[in-house]
Amino acid sequence: MTLQFDPQDIDRFKADIRGIPGYPSGEELPIRAMVFEPDALARLPGLLALAGVTPDKQLSVVMDRTPMAREGKELKPLVLDVLKSAGWQPEVIWLEPDSTGQVHTDFSQINCVKARLQPNSAVLSIGSGTVTDIAKHACHVYQQEQQISSLPFVVYQTANSVSAYTSNMAPTFVDGVKRTLPSRYPDVLVCDLKTLRDAPQAMTVAGVGDLLAAFGSYADWWLAHRLGMDSTYSEFAQTLMGPLDEIFLENAEGIKAGTLESTSVLAKLIALAGIAMSLSHATAPLSGYEHVISHVLDLIAERTPRPLAQHGTQVALATLLTTNAYQIFFDEFEPAEINLERCYPTEAQMRARIDEAFRSLDPSGRVAAECWSDYKIKLESWHAHRADFEEALRDWPAIRDRLRTLAKPPDVTARILNAISSPARFEDLTPAPAEAEVEFAFKNAPLIRHRFTLGDMFVFLQWDQEALWTQASKNL
Ligand SMILES: [Zn+2]
């Protein structure tokens, strides 16, 4: 199956996506090229030039110390050699791990990179999601502070691991809680297929997993829209991405075997996902209840502290939970049985619930305060849109039918994970969260963000969370 919207041919791609309903009118995608080729590495000097990296620029290369291989050779020295042969004198900015042994996207890292930039800098990031996000956001903040209109930024993607590379947003830890900050696009995306093929298999399956979020998030986003809780909804992302279930089932063998063709399809889907979110001006199309669950698990890991599990795989497992929860909701929700008055908790009640939930994680109360500052927005909106909810209750059969078309049953996710030999249970994650931690994340995820998802329905409807968890986590 060929992708309907192929980002490789950039001019045609830009023209074609402008015709998709929901494309933001008047907006131009500033990415100049996205290259998906077996030997894109050899073209790097030309691609830098295309991004506006002129000889007067100081080229900074941002990377961490993770060893990477391409066709049996060390990748990072290889890339530096290509640059030097072309006459560049790259200055490497090394990202050092924090106390967990990992590099995380936070302001201590972003500020380290930013401090090394100059008005004539150009930046090349070589790495996966975290390295890319740090470099991207350092460029963005530097440009804003110095009021520089263009600082060439090229992304050399080293794994098909996460949909971060082409977006103009940066998921960043702020006070321990992950927040999505407005950032910038890259000028050029370099997907050297041999590099991506030779990345660890665990990262590739995570890249698939991050996209499987769509099987719950499209429904979450539409539900929020239908209840008056999100004004950004459009079908742009779904149209751009195409039928993900079919594409993945068709490419699963190739992804598992590491063919260049399937490596390319996955890299393109990942690129499309970043663009889909950016042009929707929201992460919501590919980030629903499953991502907030994943964020709570990351929050627990940060606090423990222990390394974060592979993001996309954690997300895929959370998708199994949330899409299962959708099926339970479809089967069991009876609008006639609800007590409407009880669906509208007060600020004091929810503030107390959040304080109580997060006290054990952070006795200082900072995490709870950060969660409340965002949650409060959602609670106010929920109260303000009570009429929308009442109307939706009357129209529930039609809403359920629509949601059923958007939320894929959990066995679709399970089949794809199985076909690519992905971990299929939380206990298979590295490091694995305790079952009680996954349960905590499932139950409390709605409390950390203003994003409205199915999880919030369970909170506001005062659904029996114990029973729901038991049912939703069956077989996991
Ligand atoms: Zn994600």
Side-chain angles (χ1 to χ4, degrees):
M1 179 188 290
T2 50
L3 298 176
Q4 194 186 346
F5 301 97
D6 189 331
Q8 166 92 25
D9 182 351
I10 192 81
D11 293 330
R12 189 173 155 187
F13 175 75
K14 286 186 186 181
D16 284 352
I17 65 172
R18 248 182 238 120
I20 301 176
Y23 184 92
S25 68
E27 202 167 313
E28 178 77 32
L29 182 68
I31 302 175
R32 297 182 195 184
M34 290 178 270
V35 175
F36 307 83
E37 293 170 10
D39 292 297
L41 171 58
R43 284 183 56 195
L44 190 54
L47 293 169
L48 287 170
L50 182 63
V53 190
T54 45
D56 59 308
K57 299 276 186 202
Q58 168 58 50
L59 179 61
S60 295
V61 176
V62 178
M63 48 192 178
D64 67 11
R65 306 231 180 231
T66 310
M68 296 175 186
R70 180 186 188 274
E71 298 206 295
K73 295 203 182 93
E74 282 248 39
L75 175 71
K76 288 168 184 171
L78 198 60
V79 181
L80 293 176
D81 284 347
V82 168
L83 296 174
K84 285 175 193 157
S85 309
W88 294 103
Q89 289 171 319
E91 174 213 35
V92 176
I93 302 178
W94 292 105
L95 304 177
E96 304 296 346
D98 61 26
S99 60
T100 66
Q102 281 178 323
V103 174
H104 293 147
T105 311
D106 58 29
F107 273 95
S108 72
Q109 296 285 5
I110 291 163
N111 289 335
C112 276
V113 175
K114 196 186 75 180
R116 304 274 293 274
L117 299 180
Q118 303 157 19
N120 71 334
S121 285
V123 172
L124 168 67
S125 65
I126 303 176
S128 56
T130 303
V131 171
T132 306
D133 282 334
I134 292 167
K136 167 167 74 181
H137 206 54
C139 291
H140 176 71
V141 176
Y142 184 78
Q143 279 174 277
Q144 298 240 304
E145 286 175 0
Q146 304 291 319
Q147 299 187 337
I148 295 169
S149 61
S150 76
L151 190 156
F153 173 48
V154 175
V155 170
Y156 188 97
Q157 175 176 336
T158 58
N160 270 337
S161 50
V162 68
S163 16
Y165 305 98
T166 53
S167 88
N168 64 352
M169 304 173 229
T172 306
F173 278 106
V174 179
D175 280 335
V177 182
K178 238 183 201 174
R179 296 285 181 225
T180 303
L181 305 178
S183 195
R184 60 160 285 175
Y185 290 99
D187 292 301
V188 170
L189 170 73
V190 185
C191 286
D192 175 81
L193 298 180
K194 291 178 180 171
T195 299
L196 298 176
R197 176 199 61 195
D198 294 346
Q201 187 69 4
M203 301 186 84
T204 308
V205 300
V208 176
D210 204 18
L211 295 173
L212 299 184
F215 296 167
S217 62
Y218 291 161
D220 282 333
W221 196 21
W222 185 79
L223 178 65
H225 157 75
R226 185 63 181 75
L227 297 179
M229 300 291 289
D230 192 330
S231 57
T232 62
Y233 183 80
S234 85
E235 313 234 320
F236 175 77
Q238 286 178 59
T239 310
L240 182 66
M241 301 298 295
L244 283 174
D245 49 349
E246 291 170 33
I247 298 170
F248 279 132
L249 286 168
E250 191 177 304
N251 281 282
E253 273 304 310
I255 289 170
K256 197 161 92 171
T259 65
L260 289 175
E261 196 191 335
S262 291
T263 301
S264 177
V265 170
L266 178 54
K268 286 175 180 177
L269 287 174
I270 283 174
L272 291 178
I275 292 166
M277 292 188 273
S278 301
L279 291 178
S280 299
H281 304 153
T283 55
L286 290 156
S287 170
Y289 189 11
E290 76 300 320
H291 267 78
V292 251
I293 292 174
S294 173
H295 291 325
V296 176
L297 289 171
D298 287 350
L299 175 63
I300 295 170
E302 278 268 301
R303 289 274 141 190
T304 304
R306 65 169 183 245
L308 304 185
Q310 202 59 256
H311 168 77
T313 306
Q314 184 165 281
V315 163
L317 299 179
T319 302
L320 288 171
L321 285 174
T322 60
T323 52
N324 212 352
Y326 261 111
Q327 300 304 316
I328 296 162
F329 190 59
F330 295 151
D331 291 345
E332 299 186 6
F333 179 49
E334 286 295 345
E337 289 172 6
I338 71 164
N339 177 345
L340 206 53
E341 291 310 316
R342 293 186 66 213
C343 296
Y344 290 87
T346 63
E347 285 206 352
Q349 284 168 325
M350 290 314 294
R351 173 80 215 231
R353 181 161 169 180
I354 288 173
D355 285 345
E356 167 76 25
F358 294 100
R359 188 176 299 133
S360 60
L361 265 183
D362 174 24
S364 81
R366 272 174 65 206
V367 165
E370 171 65 22
C371 292
W372 172 247
S373 71
D374 211 43
Y375 184 85
K376 193 159 135 314
I377 301 166
K378 177 162 63 184
L379 185 63
E380 276 168 18
S381 177
W382 175 245
H383 279 269
H385 290 94
R386 180 166 170 164
D388 294 286
F389 181 52
E390 291 182 19
E391 193 273 318
L393 290 173
R394 291 190 289 274
D395 200 21
W396 171 239
I399 291 175
R400 183 184 51 204
D401 289 349
R402 179 72 184 268
L403 288 171
R404 271 192 197 281
T405 67
L406 295 170
K408 302 273 178 219
D411 58 280
V412 179
T413 303
R415 249 164 61 214
I416 294 168
L417 291 179
N418 184 42
I420 59 169
S421 296
S422 164
R425 303 162 72 95
F426 281 98
E427 65 193 49
D428 301 330
L429 285 176
T430 317
E435 194 191 333
E437 290 171 341
V438 181
E439 181 180 344
F440 176 87
F442 178 77
K443 290 178 178 172
N444 294 298
L447 307 180
I448 73 163
R449 280 203 166 183
H450 74 268
R451 164 142 320 147
F452 185 92
T453 73
L454 177 65
D456 292 288
M457 290 299 284
F458 294 129
V459 171
F460 291 138
L461 292 169
Q462 310 224 2
W463 204 281
D464 180 342
Q465 283 203 309
E466 279 312 315
L468 176 68
W469 165 252
T470 307
Q471 273 174 288
S473 63
K474 225 182 336 183
N475 308 324
L476 260 180

PDB file of all heavy atoms in Angstrom, residues 162-163 210 286 291 311 315, ligand 1:
ATOM      1  N   VAL A 162       9.528   7.641  17.805  1.00  0.00           N
ATOM      2  CA  VAL A 162       8.536   8.519  18.442  1.00  0.00           C
ATOM      3  C   VAL A 162       8.135   9.601  17.447  1.00  0.00           C
ATOM      4  O   VAL A 162       8.924   9.942  16.565  1.00  0.00           O
ATOM      5  CB  VAL A 162       9.156   9.138  19.733  1.00  0.00           C
ATOM      6  CG1 VAL A 162      10.274  10.105  19.386  1.00  0.00           C
ATOM      7  CG2 VAL A 162       8.139   9.822  20.616  1.00  0.00           C
ATOM      8  N   SER A 163       6.921  10.099  17.533  1.00  0.00           N
ATOM      9  CA  SER A 163       6.507  11.105  16.540  1.00  0.00           C
ATOM     10  C   SER A 163       6.873  12.511  16.999  1.00  0.00           C
ATOM     11  O   SER A 163       6.012  13.306  17.323  1.00  0.00           O
ATOM     12  CB  SER A 163       5.022  10.997  16.235  1.00  0.00           C
ATOM     13  OG  SER A 163       4.333  10.251  17.189  1.00  0.00           O
ATOM     14  N   ASP A 210       3.724   4.334  19.441  1.00  0.00           N
ATOM     15  CA  ASP A 210       3.316   5.728  19.635  1.00  0.00           C
ATOM     16  C   ASP A 210       2.189   6.095  18.673  1.00  0.00           C
ATOM     17  O   ASP A 210       1.300   6.881  19.016  1.00  0.00           O
ATOM     18  CB  ASP A 210       4.540   6.642  19.412  1.00  0.00           C
ATOM     19  CG  ASP A 210       4.395   7.988  20.124  1.00  0.00           C
ATOM     20  OD1 ASP A 210       3.553   8.102  21.031  1.00  0.00           O
ATOM     21  OD2 ASP A 210       5.140   8.920  19.769  1.00  0.00           O
ATOM     22  N   LEU A 286      -3.240  12.682  18.218  1.00  0.00           N
ATOM     23  CA  LEU A 286      -2.489  11.445  18.472  1.00  0.00           C
ATOM     24  C   LEU A 286      -2.065  11.329  19.930  1.00  0.00           C
ATOM     25  O   LEU A 286      -1.093  10.651  20.258  1.00  0.00           O
ATOM     26  CB  LEU A 286      -1.275  11.387  17.535  1.00  0.00           C
ATOM     27  CG  LEU A 286      -1.700  11.167  16.082  1.00  0.00           C
ATOM     28  CD1 LEU A 286      -0.658  11.670  15.112  1.00  0.00           C
ATOM     29  CD2 LEU A 286      -2.010   9.691  15.830  1.00  0.00           C
ATOM     30  N   HIS A 291      -1.929   8.697  26.396  1.00  0.00           N
ATOM     31  CA  HIS A 291      -0.726   9.497  26.644  1.00  0.00           C
ATOM     32  C   HIS A 291      -0.723  10.064  28.061  1.00  0.00           C
ATOM     33  O   HIS A 291       0.327  10.153  28.679  1.00  0.00           O
ATOM     34  CB  HIS A 291      -0.572  10.611  25.604  1.00  0.00           C
ATOM     35  CG  HIS A 291       0.288  10.214  24.441  1.00  0.00           C
ATOM     36  ND1 HIS A 291      -0.180   9.418  23.426  1.00  0.00           N
ATOM     37  CD2 HIS A 291       1.592  10.455  24.154  1.00  0.00           C
ATOM     38  CE1 HIS A 291       0.796   9.216  22.551  1.00  0.00           C
ATOM     39  NE2 HIS A 291       1.892   9.836  22.979  1.00  0.00           N
ATOM     40  N   HIS A 311       8.936   5.230  25.429  1.00  0.00           N
ATOM     41  CA  HIS A 311       7.677   5.981  25.387  1.00  0.00           C
ATOM     42  C   HIS A 311       6.581   5.302  24.553  1.00  0.00           C
ATOM     43  O   HIS A 311       5.474   5.064  25.026  1.00  0.00           O
ATOM     44  CB  HIS A 311       7.936   7.398  24.858  1.00  0.00           C
ATOM     45  CG  HIS A 311       6.703   8.165  24.510  1.00  0.00           C
ATOM     46  ND1 HIS A 311       5.908   8.748  25.468  1.00  0.00           N
ATOM     47  CD2 HIS A 311       6.093   8.413  23.317  1.00  0.00           C
ATOM     48  CE1 HIS A 311       4.874   9.335  24.877  1.00  0.00           C
ATOM     49  NE2 HIS A 311       4.973   9.144  23.573  1.00  0.00           N
ATOM     50  N   VAL A 315       2.980   3.752  25.634  1.00  0.00           N
ATOM     51  CA  VAL A 315       1.757   4.328  25.075  1.00  0.00           C
ATOM     52  C   VAL A 315       0.880   3.234  24.448  1.00  0.00           C
ATOM     53  O   VAL A 315      -0.341   3.216  24.627  1.00  0.00           O
ATOM     54  CB  VAL A 315       2.105   5.418  24.029  1.00  0.00           C
ATOM     55  CG1 VAL A 315       0.923   5.737  23.129  1.00  0.00           C
ATOM     56  CG2 VAL A 315       2.601   6.676  24.728  1.00  0.00           C
TER      57      VAL A 315
HETATM   58 ZN    ZN B   1       3.760   9.945  22.076  1.00  0.00          ZN
END
